[in-house]
Amino acid sequence: MAIKLFQGWQGKSLEQILTLCRDLLEDTNFPTVHQWREAGGKVVGHFQVYFPEEIVHAAGALPFKLRGAPVDLRHADSHFGSYLCSIVKTTLELALGGRVKLDMFVTHPICDAARNLAGVWGRNFRFPCQILYLPQNPNSRHSVSYLRDEYDRLRRTVEEVTGRPVTDESLQSSLGVFNENRALLRQLYAIKRERPWLIATDEAYVLVALGGLLPREEHNELLRAVLPLVETRPSKRQDKIRVIFEGGFCEQPPLDLIRVISQSCYVVDDDLLIGLRWILDDVPREGDPLRNLAHAYVEKSSYSPVQHDVRKPKEKMLLERLRSSGATAAIIGAAKMCEPGLEEQVTYARTLDREGIPYFVTEFEEGMTSFDNLEIQLETFVESILF
């Protein structure tokens, strides 16, 4: 659908563009989603962590990454128990409160709370609410074939919702768009690793996150324009330690929390919104596009606590992230009440203790508004390393 959802940034300075991007990301009324629907488009909302957005894109619909929001719980709280992470509640709140309107919802069995979302949503909305069963055992020799068939099941439902066939040709075209997007995001992260003084972590986060709100063609256009401006930014290197942030795979830290970390450290790598960067290389466009997508998920992907791949033990992958990025310390975060994230904190802490690598442990919640204590603790941690 030929419609521009994000306008007014063209021809602006880098700082002006980043301000506009942040304003759009923090708007909990999600104007781009409303604009898309008002123009007659369909919207498929998908919960964290990874989702094959190419299938929705190939049907001419907008894949919308549901990642919660800092909103008051006026409707959703009564649908859940008390001891759950914020993101499952606020995501439902966005729909029950009318902030977003969807034509389909997809979740994943990444934890008990997420597994039950399809049932909770299905009792409250008339549109299809499904679970996409990504392989629990990606090491099985049948995992790619299984996932290819699961993607085909998703394709058929998307076709029913959109009224448009998802052909191999349209999928191959979408793969080209998303391959470019992933390449641009890799370029952004290369700048973060090699010259982190050129772009703060909160700025990079905003640029990545807009991919979940915009058609990928628009996101690609934005990144193509912004990255050269970042490369030529007249910023000077500062005396900051190089760290990685681990723990942002599902519920996202508040943007201001990321900004606080950026003031004290160079975050040279992270797992924030890892689902948008899950596939690490181009997906071949030749051959069966669904099988190629499934193969990429299993064989050419990143890692997270919600995928159980014996070839990618989390503590080993954490050390690899540290070493490949040249980081000297780690910030290990976890969302409150996040069982997968809090479990990995224990494993990560033991591994870093054994390796003698400094680390800082913290918890967060998307509705946090005060960061004074965190800022003081983090500054103390940084000074203990610098001095």
Side-chain angles (χ1 to χ4, degrees):
M1 186 165 57
I3 175 176
K4 289 283 187 180
L5 302 183
F6 182 34
Q7 302 188 54
W9 60 267
Q10 295 87 347
K12 305 284 188 181
S13 69
L14 177 60
E15 283 66 30
Q16 290 172 320
I17 294 174
L18 291 172
T19 297
L20 291 171
C21 290
R22 178 168 182 146
D23 290 345
L24 176 59
L25 183 65
E26 293 190 308
D27 190 336
T28 56
N29 289 313
F30 301 96
T32 57
V33 178
H34 287 288
Q35 291 173 43
W36 183 267
R37 283 184 59 85
E38 287 170 0
K42 302 289 187 178
V43 178
V44 176
H46 58 92
F47 193 67
Q48 301 276 42
V49 171
Y50 170 76
F51 179 77
E53 294 179 303
E54 290 91 336
I55 297 173
V56 173
H57 181 272
L62 178 68
F64 171 46
K65 190 169 189 64
L66 288 160
R67 51 181 178 79
V71 296
D72 293 334
L73 296 176
R74 301 188 178 186
H75 306 88
D77 215 18
S78 61
H79 295 269
F80 298 100
S82 300
Y83 299 102
L84 288 175
C85 57
S86 292
I87 186 173
V88 297
K89 300 179 182 180
T90 57
T91 296
L92 179 62
E93 181 68 33
L94 295 178
L96 288 177
R99 292 175 183 268
V100 295
K101 294 184 178 180
L102 306 179
D103 298 284
M104 180 178 176
F105 170 74
V106 183
T107 186
H108 315 276
I110 58 174
C111 66
D112 288 341
R115 180 184 293 111
N116 291 320
L117 278 181
V120 174
W121 279 66
R123 289 193 295 270
N124 288 277
F125 301 103
R126 294 182 180 274
F127 52 75
C129 300
Q130 294 194 355
I131 299 175
L132 176 65
Y133 290 96
L134 300 170
Q136 293 296 307
N137 179 16
N139 306 116
S140 167
R141 63 190 178 94
H142 303 291
S143 60
V144 173
S145 295
Y146 158 79
L147 186 55
R148 191 264 172 217
D149 291 343
E150 185 69 357
Y151 284 173
D152 194 45
R153 180 184 67 82
L154 175 66
R155 167 164 65 173
R156 292 194 297 272
T157 306
V158 170
E159 288 177 333
E160 293 174 4
V161 168
T162 62
R164 176 172 165 177
V166 180
T167 64
D168 284 358
E169 290 74 20
S170 62
L171 276 169
Q172 289 161 351
S173 175
S174 294
L175 285 176
V177 173
F178 280 76
N179 281 343
E180 181 185 8
N181 188 254
R182 286 185 282 264
L184 290 166
L185 293 178
R186 290 195 297 271
Q187 185 180 341
L188 174 63
Y189 267 71
I191 297 172
K192 273 170 56 91
R193 285 192 304 273
E194 297 161 12
R195 290 166 290 167
W197 53 91
L198 291 180
I199 186 160
T201 302
D202 56 307
E203 295 172 337
Y205 177 87
V206 167
L207 291 173
V208 174
L210 286 188
L213 303 173
L214 298 172
R216 275 308 192 284
E217 293 87 347
E218 272 198 61
H219 195 221
N220 289 348
E221 179 188 0
L222 175 67
L223 292 175
R224 284 195 301 267
V226 167
L227 290 176
L229 298 177
V230 174
E231 295 265 17
T232 57
R233 199 179 198 176
S235 299
K236 294 184 179 180
R237 184 172 186 171
Q238 298 180 15
D239 189 19
K240 295 182 179 180
I241 64 171
R242 296 171 61 94
V243 304
I244 63 167
F245 181 93
E246 196 82 14
F249 60 93
C250 186
E251 183 171 328
Q252 297 300 291
L255 191 54
D256 284 337
L257 185 150
I258 301 174
R259 181 185 55 79
V260 166
I261 295 174
S262 298
Q263 290 174 346
S264 300
C265 315
Y266 286 138
V267 182
V268 291
D269 204 357
D270 58 63
D271 67 344
L272 297 166
L273 291 173
I274 192 64
L276 294 175
R277 302 178 288 116
W278 182 255
I279 295 176
L280 301 177
D281 203 353
D282 286 353
V283 180
R285 298 174 62 182
E286 301 77 19
D288 181 353
L290 290 182
R291 186 172 186 83
N292 292 345
L293 260 180
H295 183 270
Y297 175 85
V298 174
E299 301 293 346
K300 298 194 294 185
S301 58
S302 185
Y303 69 96
S304 88
V306 298
Q307 188 198 50
H308 309 289
D309 190 330
V310 298
R311 299 167 300 177
K312 297 185 282 188
K314 309 305 182 296
E315 60 272 24
K316 175 185 174 183
M317 301 307 293
L318 175 72
L319 293 176
E320 175 58 29
R321 190 188 294 280
L322 275 157
R323 290 163 182 160
S324 64
S325 63
T328 57
I331 297 176
I332 308 300
K336 291 181 180 180
M337 305 295 179
C338 174
E339 186 175 342
L342 291 170
E343 284 182 354
E344 293 300 336
Q345 273 193 341
V346 177
T347 303
Y348 290 154
R350 289 176 177 172
T351 300
L352 295 170
D353 281 334
R354 186 180 67 245
E355 297 290 327
I357 298 172
Y359 62 94
F360 178 85
V361 176
T362 187
E363 281 188 347
F364 60 84
E365 193 171 26
E366 58 189 5
M368 289 173 62
T369 56
S370 176
F371 309 100
D372 293 343
N373 289 338
L374 173 66
E375 192 168 6
I376 293 170
Q377 294 168 5
L378 189 57
E379 287 175 356
T380 304
F381 170 71
V382 170
E383 288 172 1
S384 71
I385 296 174
L386 287 175
F387 306 113

